[in-house]
Amino acid sequence: MRGLHADTGYLMYRLGLRSGQLFNTFLQASGLRLRHYALLRFLATSEGALQRELSTRLGYDPSAIVGLVDDLEKLGFAERRPSPDDRRSRIVVLTENGRGFLRDTDEAGLRVTNELLGPLDATERETLHALLHRVAEDGLA
């Protein structure tokens, strides 16, 4: 019988948990969690998004998105604006304060990644990232 660590899915699950713990620890002082950070990072690469699009793209329950956006609005990191395509809909947009927060956390985010991937050299990290990206593109689209 195979040992637990022979199961790639389990290893990915455990590393995902560890990564979340590390990110949540570094975000703790700001009062945010990894889910907020992921939403901010997504918004940084878009012109804004409908809440239902955020739910689909991030894989979060729609009701969770509402609370996350509420939290980010209170901090001034995101805001809801009328959609240019449909005035009845609202898009969520990253604010300048949100961009500043992300700039300020870039180095800490890299430290978390470096801690998690410490056993790997630069080439191995690039390979791992490329492989994970390929799996994510196919499995999380």
Side-chain angles (χ1 to χ4, degrees), residues 26-100:
F26 116 71
L27 289 168
Q28 191 171 13
S30 69
L32 298 181
R33 309 246 334 134
L34 181 55
R35 290 178 150 224
H36 296 98
Y37 184 78
L39 197 152
L40 288 171
R41 283 281 169 211
F42 179 83
L43 291 175
T45 63
S46 72
E47 297 287 324
L50 297 169
Q51 287 183 178
R52 67 179 167 271
E53 179 187 359
L54 292 171
S55 174
T56 301
R57 295 294 300 264
L58 296 172
Y60 298 162
D61 186 84
S63 62
I65 291 292
V66 172
L68 293 171
V69 173
D70 288 347
D71 294 343
L72 294 174
E73 272 194 316
K74 287 176 191 165
L75 292 168
F77 292 168
E79 63 185 27
R80 291 174 174 99
R81 294 182 184 163
S83 170
D85 301 328
D86 179 0
R87 293 284 178 190
R88 296 169 295 171
S89 297
R90 307 201 42 87
I91 59 171
V92 181
V93 178
L94 187 66
T95 64
E96 279 308 310
N97 286 342
R99 288 185 197 289

Side-chain angles (χ1 to χ4, degrees), residues 9-22:
Y10 176 76
L11 289 174
M12 290 174 58
Y13 166 75
R14 287 298 308 259
L15 288 171
L17 285 177
R18 180 68 182 137
S19 177
Q21 290 168 340
L22 291 171

Side-chain angles (χ1 to χ4, degrees), residues 92-122:
V92 181
V93 178
L94 187 66
T95 64
E96 279 308 310
N97 286 342
R99 288 185 197 289
F101 175 80
L102 289 175
R103 277 191 300 273
D104 292 346
T105 60
D106 277 344
E107 187 177 320
L110 289 174
R111 281 196 311 268
V112 166
T113 299
N114 287 336
E115 182 176 335
L116 188 66
L117 301 180
L120 304 179
D121 65 30

